Amino acid sequence: KNTKKIDLLKNKNLNTKEEKISYMIMVHEVDAQLNLLIKSLLSDVRSVIYIHLDGKVEIDNNDLFSQNDRIVFIKNRVRVNWGGFSMVHAMKSLIHEALKDTGSDRFVLISGSCFPIKIPVQINDELLRSNGNIFSVWGEIDPENLSSEGFGRYSVTKFQPCDVGILNPKKSIAHSRLWNFYKKLSSQIPLERKVSLSDLWRGSQFFAASRAVAEWFVKSHPDLDRILRWSLAPDEIYFNTLYVRYLRQSGEDFCKILPGATEQGTHYIKKTVPADRTLRQKLFEPVDLRKLNKNDLPEILASPCFFARKCNSEISKEIERLWSDDI
């Protein structure tokens, strides 16, 4: 058992294929969690890591990005704003850079707060055995959903100023409250951006893609760029829409996934309602319902997904210990 464990974690005599898996990581801070994620992925020699660090974050030239030739740091960084089209720009930069390596056959998008549920060697084996495309598409945006759309999650026809940094709702709790007020107000004003809502598909922003799909993603799509430029959460629409259109051109179909499901394609994602919050927390601290805690571990490890979403370093260490012990 111990020998098998060493082989799996250090890849002794296991990786005879030349294929590579490009892991594209969206990062907004460099912390212990990110270090654990990178270390775990690099345990398989087939993994190559591409990192986009939010342009708003300062970086030390002597940090982990320069310590391994299988880590590629995106130099032309984008100032990423939650909910804005800047997310799409950053994601396309990652895909562009990863495609430069002709040895990469699979392209997996994750965030710095994700962590592998399975041993990375096994994840990479499964990715290479399949056609490489794992998406979580929830459904089509209703083309008739115009003025009432303003207060929803996916607002396309209403102007959404998320990429105006000073107005972004994640800037502070006050900005979040003002943004909610703006959404409610805008839904009552019968003014719409003159864009089409036809053939737009929403889903999880995280995916695994084959080289053909990744190449399709980085092609010029000016109409889709214009439609989603000032929409809300365009990253959850842009790539799912392109994926559905790719399948249609290829004569293929897909199965939709319920947006509330915990198993979202490549990721285990769960909404956890926080326990008792103080009055101060309710007034001044935003809530992130997707953060995982130790109570979620049994269900996480039983999931067929590859990654858990919204982990901290403590949860990641526990997941790694448990899947390591299970070898």
Side-chain angles (χ1 to χ4, degrees):
K1 180 176 180 180
N2 289 337
T3 302
K4 183 181 178 183
K5 177 176 179 179
I6 292 171
D7 286 350
L8 280 170
L9 295 180
K10 295 188 177 181
N11 305 286
K12 183 179 179 182
N13 300 322
L14 281 180
N15 297 324
T16 57
K17 298 181 180 179
E18 295 182 357
E19 295 100 324
K20 299 178 185 176
I21 292 85
S22 294
Y23 285 99
M24 306 173 296
I25 310 179
M26 294 280 288
V27 176
H28 66 270
E29 62 180 335
V30 179
D31 56 7
Q33 163 61 27
L34 179 62
N35 277 273
L36 286 168
L37 172 61
I38 290 173
K39 182 181 177 182
S40 70
L41 294 176
L42 290 179
S43 67
D44 186 338
V45 296
R46 294 170 294 183
S47 300
V48 182
I49 296 174
Y50 297 83
I51 296 175
H52 181 280
L53 178 64
D54 187 348
K56 299 190 294 293
V57 180
E58 294 185 3
I59 183 172
D60 182 352
N61 290 329
N62 296 319
D63 67 9
L64 59 89
F65 301 133
S66 60
Q67 295 175 5
N68 193 298
D69 59 3
R70 287 193 286 140
I71 299 176
V72 179
F73 178 60
I74 306 299
K75 295 180 180 178
N76 297 320
R77 296 188 288 150
V78 177
R79 292 178 65 87
V80 177
N81 297 295
W82 177 90
F85 201 75
S86 54
M87 288 283 291
V88 175
H89 285 311
M91 290 163 71
K92 291 189 81 168
S93 293
L94 278 168
I95 302 171
H96 266 294
E97 192 65 33
L99 281 168
K100 291 179 182 179
D101 187 343
T102 57
S104 287
D105 294 284
R106 302 290 185 264
F107 302 83
V108 185
L109 182 76
I110 59 178
S111 79
S113 63
C114 301
F115 198 77
I117 295 173
K118 304 178 181 181
I119 302 163
V121 170
Q122 294 175 336
I123 292 175
N124 289 348
D125 283 345
E126 290 188 37
L127 285 169
L128 290 169
R129 277 196 296 266
S130 70
N131 68 5
N133 296 316
I134 305 174
F135 286 75
S136 176
V137 181
W138 300 335
E140 189 172 7
I141 291 178
D142 184 358
E144 304 300 323
N145 191 21
L146 296 174
S147 59
S148 62
E149 180 203 22
F151 198 53
R153 166 74 172 174
Y154 301 99
S155 179
V156 177
T157 63
K158 298 293 187 180
F159 175 78
Q160 299 295 331
C162 292
D163 271 327
V164 181
I166 197 171
L167 300 177
N168 191 275
K170 293 293 185 180
K171 192 172 181 65
S172 72
I173 191 69
H175 285 79
S176 177
R177 300 284 165 77
L178 286 172
W179 182 66
N180 283 333
F181 174 75
Y182 168 76
K183 284 204 302 179
K184 186 175 293 187
L185 179 66
S186 65
S187 67
Q188 305 301 317
I189 300 175
L191 294 175
E192 315 291 339
R193 295 174 59 232
K194 296 187 181 300
V195 294
S196 171
L197 287 178
S198 298
D199 199 25
L200 295 180
W201 296 78
R202 57 195 177 92
S204 172
Q205 73 178 108
F206 302 108
F207 58 78
S210 64
R211 173 167 284 273
V213 170
E215 289 173 341
W216 165 243
F217 282 170
V218 297
K219 287 184 177 180
S220 178
H221 303 283
D223 290 345
L224 195 57
D225 290 352
R226 183 180 66 84
I227 291 170
L228 298 179
R229 176 65 186 86
W230 293 107
S231 66
L232 177 61
D235 54 309
E236 297 181 4
I237 305 173
Y238 194 91
F239 296 98
N240 284 290
T241 294
L242 288 179
Y243 179 60
V244 171
R245 294 177 182 180
Y246 173 88
L247 290 178
R248 187 183 301 131
Q249 292 174 7
S250 305
E252 301 177 53
D253 204 353
F254 66 95
C255 295
K256 290 186 287 187
I257 296 175
L258 293 174
T262 55
E263 294 170 359
Q264 294 287 338
T266 54
H267 279 67
Y268 173 95
I269 302 175
K270 184 176 181 180
K271 283 191 175 181
T272 305
V273 179
D276 301 326
R277 301 181 75 221
T278 65
L279 179 61
R280 181 184 180 281
Q281 288 174 324
K282 292 178 180 178
L283 291 175
F284 301 109
E285 296 180 14
V287 179
D288 190 340
L289 297 179
R290 297 192 184 276
K291 285 185 177 179
L292 300 175
N293 57 57
K294 289 189 175 181
N295 293 331
D296 298 315
L297 284 171
E299 191 172 337
I300 292 171
L301 293 168
S303 170
C305 296
F306 293 153
F307 294 92
R309 176 81 175 107
K310 289 288 186 180
C311 299
N312 56 34
S313 58
E314 290 74 25
I315 294 296
S316 294
K317 286 178 182 177
E318 189 65 14
I319 292 174
E320 183 177 40
R321 183 186 68 79
L322 291 170
W323 58 240
S324 296
D325 289 347
D326 194 43
I327 298 174

